[in-house]
Amino acid sequence: QVQLVESGGGLVQAGGSLRLSCAASGSIFSIRSMGWYRQAPGKQRELVATITSGGSTNYADSVKLRFTISRNNANNTVYLQMNSLKSEDTAVYYCNAVRTGRSYNLEDWGQGTQVTVSS
């Protein structure tokens, strides 16, 4: 079991920046990768960015060059630095963790944090 707690969401003007944090606890030793997903009303939850235990990253085309995912292994926290925010970035952002073992491949999700970009 992995507990994920997001923070940092809020209201920001278009063109501004915001940093989201996701603190992981529990079976953190088994986490293979973590990521950020988002869901806007009426839309499917979509990938924003992921980062593996080895540090490799992946981004959705819509956020490349604007968002940066990073991690702090000391406190098991993953961050999402969001710059040049647009109104279309408005969504609930969810933290995700993938735990992979010899006999399992599980996902855990945080409760989500609202990001609203005004213009």
Side-chain angles (χ1 to χ4, degrees), residues 9-59:
L11 176 65
V12 65
Q13 294 183 342
S17 299
L18 205 61
R19 189 177 77 157
L20 305 183
S21 299
C22 175
S25 61
S27 301
I28 56 176
F29 62 89
S30 62
I31 296 177
R32 180 57 57 85
S33 66
M34 296 184 69
W36 289 95
Y37 291 71
R38 66 186 182 187
Q39 185 169 27
K43 296 184 178 181
Q44 295 288 328
R45 185 174 299 186
E46 64 177 355
L47 169 74
V48 176
T50 60
I51 185 167
T52 69
S53 59
S56 63
T57 59
N58 179 249
Y59 298 91

Side-chain angles (χ1 to χ4, degrees), residues 14 23 49 56 88-89 105-106:
S56 63
E88 50 262 47
D89 294 318
N105 193 158
L106 306 173

Side-chain angles (χ1 to χ4, degrees), residues 48-96:
V48 176
T50 60
I51 185 167
T52 69
S53 59
S56 63
T57 59
N58 179 249
Y59 298 91
D61 289 340
S62 61
V63 306
K64 282 184 176 180
L65 305 180
R66 297 191 298 120
F67 292 9
T68 302
I69 188 170
S70 62
R71 62 186 179 132
N72 185 328
N73 292 330
N75 57 191
N76 301 301
T77 301
V78 172
Y79 305 93
L80 183 68
Q81 179 65 48
M82 305 184 292
N83 299 322
S84 301
L85 284 162
K86 307 173 181 179
S87 60
E88 50 262 47
D89 294 318
T90 295
V92 176
Y93 284 69
Y94 296 91
C95 183
N96 159 270

